[in-house]
Amino acid sequence: MIEAFGLTSNPRKELPPAVDDVSFEARAGRVTALLGAPGAGKTTALRLMLELQRGRGLTHFRGRPLHRIAHPVREVGVLLGDVPGHPARTVRGHLRMLCAAAGVPVRRADEVLEAVGLVSLRDERLGTLSRGMDRRLGLACALLADPHTLVLDDPAGALSAREAAWVHTMLRAHASQGGTVLFSTADPKEAARAADHVVTLEQGRVVADQDAPDFSRTRLRPRVVVRTPYAARLAAVLTKEARATRRSVEIVREGGNRLAVYGSTCADIGDTAFRHGILVHQLADECGDMGPGAGVDPVVRRSGATGGRGAGTGSVPPSRDGGLPEPVDASGPAAVHPATTGAPPVTAADAPTPHTHTHPLTHTDTLTDPDPAPGADPAPGADTVTHADAVPPTSAAADLSPAASQHSPAPAASQPRPAPGRPVRPASARTLATGAASPLPPPVSVRSAPSPLRPLRYEFRRAAGIRTGFVTITVVLLVSVVTAVILARVGHTPQPRLLAAWPQELPLPPAALGAGLLGALASGDEFRHPALAADRGAVPRRLGLLVAKLLVSAVTALVLAALTVGGNAEVLHLFYGPELAGVPTDWPALGAGWLALVVGCGWAGVLAAGVFRSTTAGLAAVVAVPVLVVPLVQKVWDGPSVRTAAGLPMRTRELFLTTWPFGGERYVAEVLRMIAQPVGSALALSVTALLCAYLLMTLRSRPQ
């Protein structure tokens, strides 16, 4: 279950906080809706619960705050906004990569794809998915680690009725297995249809905390929607008959040929239209919103009596000034009921996916698609509002029928209770029951996501999941071959530089630049498309992930360096004969220097992109080594006030008194000789500085 206590966001400048002292409870085995108009604070409350935004408050997931859970992704599945991920990655590749991050078997990706109905689209790119398919993929990502709790921000937003019904069917299935589901919505009809419990927010505060039947009874009322080309005439006739029979009928003309009639039935309106010869195109029952604060009893909150829940059923808190309750804003499209007269039939393809859970607002056999309901007040496009004034209007709240009440969810007492070892509520929440002044809730600190549980496997799948790396390697090899052929044609280029395709005029060879670009993409793409931490913001800096990136970039750089030299040698042998493709006499030292240069550029790209959170910055750091750092290092080495290090390789070789096996001391001396060169010194200095900066930022970002 979820227990939220005193969630309060940090105010900006002189504005009030977006969320102010929000407390509520979402029980296991039930679907809870967080309802509110746009700007009411729903998303902010969810981000505070997930420790994605700074503020105050405390949220327990099955008795523990999120930062006390070792692997949060296995406890809480999150869907906030669109699914972040590289647009060129396939659906299956994206999920397989997340499997390595969550530490679950790779076959889990195929299981969730089948569960959400994306098996046929597993090879599609993320950038080509429609809104409905993106929602399915987001739900698959949330369910990947089989979490107990699902937290979703407007999961059915901008979806068709069919797709929205499917989403809520999946949420209902998860709750029926004992899981906890919390989703936000701005549509009161959607909340009443799909949830067992509804928590209503307005201006950042809880104004109602009700079970779904109570919410439906106190916040919604039935109406009849009529479409006719003679809307004005039918409205006048209905008003006249209502006055004659002393009935309270409200008629709202919603522009064009549509009427919304409150206080009547389809049968009465159909009989009236038939008697007066008025053609009717549509006649359907709906549930429309009653408007802000309608039907909510001004009962004081009973947080202490209910054992920690935000409010009693059907109750609202007093207003900020201690007077009457604050109004509840609930606006959104209407929930459609079956048409009884004149409604066009709906085919099986248009009907929503059936599910086992039924609700008083969803026991329908056919669907219509009316325009959004304006509620009790006229919509902005309404033309007229007609009231039958023979008698005072009756109460707007309409009781549910007995047939509908039998589908209502089980009471809270019959739902699964939390474990006996659940911690006691903090003092800031307990003081609400005694009426004493409540101290400020504890601060909410933004905590970064943990490292992937299998970082090396994750990084390999991330690098191999898109074509960017393969395209980069192909382009580097082609450019190197063309450059080597041109240099051989011109002449005056030493053979080592000819094999590396490194002209004197260029600061770095194409292979080194390519390795630096691939290294920069390894970290830069994580911040541009943070698939690793979709629910936690940008990907964190973690040592395990850094080691994996360095290893993968080193292997990639070594392969690129070997392919470059081998490809250039073969092409030169083909064009100019074996004299230009021969092996140099000092090839061990030259080969070690060449591999170290390419690997160093790759590491510089990884570290710089990780420090500056940008691929461009990573590549710029690689280019800056020969352009800016090398001249500075060379000036220091050649300066008159600094001792020369010309004899460093020989003195280092003399330092090793014992002989290494296979002549290892010779390679050590060659490496040190290479480091003593300006390029090697500059590259080593840059990599060391970037590594220290990365480690410093990693230590600073760790939670205290």
Side-chain angles (χ1 to χ4, degrees):
M1 63 183 302
I2 304 176
E3 296 170 299
F5 309 122
L7 298 178
T8 304
S9 62
N10 293 333
R12 295 185 177 180
K13 298 181 180 180
E14 302 298 329
L15 300 176
V19 173
D20 187 7
D21 194 19
V22 170
S23 300
F24 64 91
E25 191 176 86
R27 293 187 174 276
R30 309 185 75 189
V31 178
T32 303
L34 194 62
L35 175 66
K42 306 183 300 298
T43 302
T44 303
L46 296 182
R47 293 181 63 84
L48 287 171
M49 293 170 57
L50 298 171
E51 299 178 359
L52 303 178
Q53 182 172 329
R54 297 187 183 276
R56 307 194 73 87
L58 184 65
T59 304
H60 283 170
F61 297 90
R62 289 204 291 181
R64 293 178 297 171
L66 196 62
H67 61 270
R68 297 295 183 185
I69 301 175
H71 305 299
V73 70
R74 296 184 177 181
E75 176 65 28
V76 184
V78 179
L79 175 59
L80 301 178
D82 296 334
V83 178
H86 199 289
R89 200 178 303 278
T90 63
V91 171
R92 189 168 183 259
H94 184 77
L95 290 176
R96 288 169 66 91
M97 183 180 66
L98 295 183
C99 284
V104 299
V106 70
R107 64 176 181 273
R108 179 66 178 171
D110 297 322
E111 294 174 359
V112 295
L113 281 177
E114 184 176 358
V116 301
L118 287 180
V119 175
S120 60
L121 300 179
R122 61 178 178 268
D123 295 327
E124 293 292 327
R125 307 290 175 180
L126 299 186
T128 63
L129 297 181
S130 63
R131 174 68 176 176
M133 297 302 103
D134 182 84
R135 294 288 87 188
R136 289 176 181 250
L137 178 59
L139 194 55
C141 295
L143 294 171
L144 191 63
D146 195 18
H148 175 271
T149 303
L150 292 180
V151 178
L152 308 100
D153 186 16
D154 196 15
L159 294 183
S160 63
R162 182 180 179 183
E163 288 288 344
W166 178 90
V167 169
H168 290 300
T169 301
M170 292 293 295
L171 300 184
R172 173 60 54 189
H174 184 80
S176 65
Q177 297 177 0
T180 304
V181 177
L182 174 65
F183 74 93
S184 66
T185 179
D187 184 3
K189 273 65 87 177
E190 179 185 359
R193 239 186 351 255
D196 302 321
H197 195 83
V198 182
V199 179
T200 306
L201 296 182
E202 182 184 347
Q203 297 181 357
R205 304 190 71 179
V206 177
V207 296
D209 192 336
Q210 306 165 285
D211 286 334
D214 297 326
F215 172 80
S216 302
R217 184 179 65 251
T218 58
R219 293 291 308 278
L220 304 175
R221 63 169 176 169
R223 67 178 182 179
V224 179
V225 173
V226 187
R227 291 183 185 271
T228 172
Y230 309 101
R233 179 184 171 191
L234 180 60
V237 171
L238 292 176
T239 302
K240 181 178 179 181
E241 290 192 356
R243 290 176 177 174
T245 57
R246 301 182 62 83
R247 291 185 296 111
S248 176
V249 176
E250 178 183 352
I251 303 174
V252 179
R253 186 172 180 183
E254 300 178 352
N257 59 356
R258 176 182 165 131
L259 296 176
V261 183
Y262 298 87
S264 186
T265 63
C266 285
D268 293 340
I269 297 175
D271 291 343
T272 301
F274 178 77
R275 288 196 306 270
H276 292 82
I278 300 176
L279 177 64
V280 175
H281 290 165
Q282 181 187 13
L283 197 60
D285 285 321
E286 289 185 357
C287 271
D289 188 19
M290 293 169 53
V296 181
D297 299 329
V299 182
V300 180
R301 294 177 66 180
R302 298 177 295 178
S303 58
T306 57
R309 283 186 294 175
T313 301
S315 62
V316 296
S319 62
R320 293 182 176 89
D321 56 1
L324 294 176
E326 297 183 355
V328 179
D329 184 15
S331 59
V336 184
H337 268 229
T340 57
T341 306
V346 178
T347 62
D350 297 330
T353 306
H355 54 85
T356 56
H357 173 75
T358 56
H359 192 271
L361 297 180
T362 59
H363 57 287
T364 63
D365 295 324
T366 59
L367 291 176
T368 59
D369 189 15
D371 297 334
D377 298 328
D383 296 330
T384 59
V385 179
T386 307
H387 292 273
D389 51 5
V391 295
T394 58
S395 173
D399 294 334
L400 297 174
S401 63
S405 62
Q406 67 182 357
H407 298 287
S408 60
S414 63
Q415 300 298 332
R417 304 296 296 176
R422 181 167 59 87
V424 182
R425 297 181 62 194
S428 60
R430 293 198 306 269
T431 51
L432 295 176
T434 61
S438 174
L440 288 176
V444 176
S445 300
V446 177
R447 301 180 185 273
S448 56
S451 298
L453 296 181
R454 299 172 182 173
L456 190 59
R457 187 177 302 178
Y458 164 82
E459 177 60 21
F460 176 76
R461 289 175 180 162
R462 185 210 62 78
I466 56 177
R467 292 191 291 260
T468 304
F470 302 103
V471 172
T472 302
I473 293 176
T474 303
V475 171
V476 167
L477 294 178
L478 291 177
V479 173
S480 298
V481 167
V482 173
T483 304
V485 171
I486 295 176
L487 290 178
R489 177 78 175 179
V490 174
H492 309 293
T493 301
Q495 186 183 13
R497 281 185 171 266
L498 196 61
L499 293 177
W502 189 357
Q504 296 283 353
E505 296 77 15
L506 293 181
L508 287 174
L513 290 175
L517 176 59
L518 293 176
L521 288 172
S523 292
D525 277 351
E526 294 280 16
F527 296 100
R528 187 178 180 185
H529 308 288
L532 174 63
D535 57 325
R536 314 290 292 170
V539 64
R541 302 183 180 94
R542 285 293 184 266
L543 296 183
L545 184 60
L546 172 63
V547 172
K549 290 184 179 297
L550 292 179
L551 288 177
V552 173
S553 64
V555 172
T556 305
L558 292 176
V559 172
L560 181 60
L563 290 178
T564 299
V565 173
N568 292 343
E570 289 295 331
V571 173
L572 291 176
H573 183 275
L574 178 64
F575 276 82
Y576 303 106
E579 62 275 4
L580 294 181
V583 179
T585 56
D586 55 344
W587 67 268
L590 293 175
W594 168 246
L595 296 179
L597 175 65
V598 178
V599 172
C601 290
W603 284 359
V606 171
L607 294 171
V611 171
F612 300 106
R613 297 174 177 262
S614 171
T615 302
T616 305
L619 186 59
V622 174
V623 178
V625 171
V627 175
L628 300 178
V629 184
V630 167
L632 294 178
V633 173
Q634 193 169 9
K635 184 177 181 181
V636 171
W637 281 112
D638 298 338
S641 60
V642 179
R643 295 181 184 272
T644 178
L648 178 62
M650 184 60 65
R651 291 192 297 269
T652 305
R653 184 171 182 176
E654 294 175 356
L655 182 63
F656 296 93
L657 300 179
T658 60
T659 303
W660 289 31
F662 306 105
E665 73 280 357
R666 181 180 61 178
Y667 297 101
V668 173
E670 292 295 340
V671 170
L672 292 176
R673 185 175 66 85
M674 181 191 62
I675 294 178
Q677 299 298 322
V679 175
S681 301
L683 188 58
L685 179 62
S686 299
V687 171
T688 303
L690 291 172
L691 181 61
C692 292
Y694 194 100
L695 295 177
L696 178 61
M697 292 185 177
T698 300
L699 294 176
R700 291 183 59 185
S701 64
R702 285 184 176 179
Q704 303 297 328

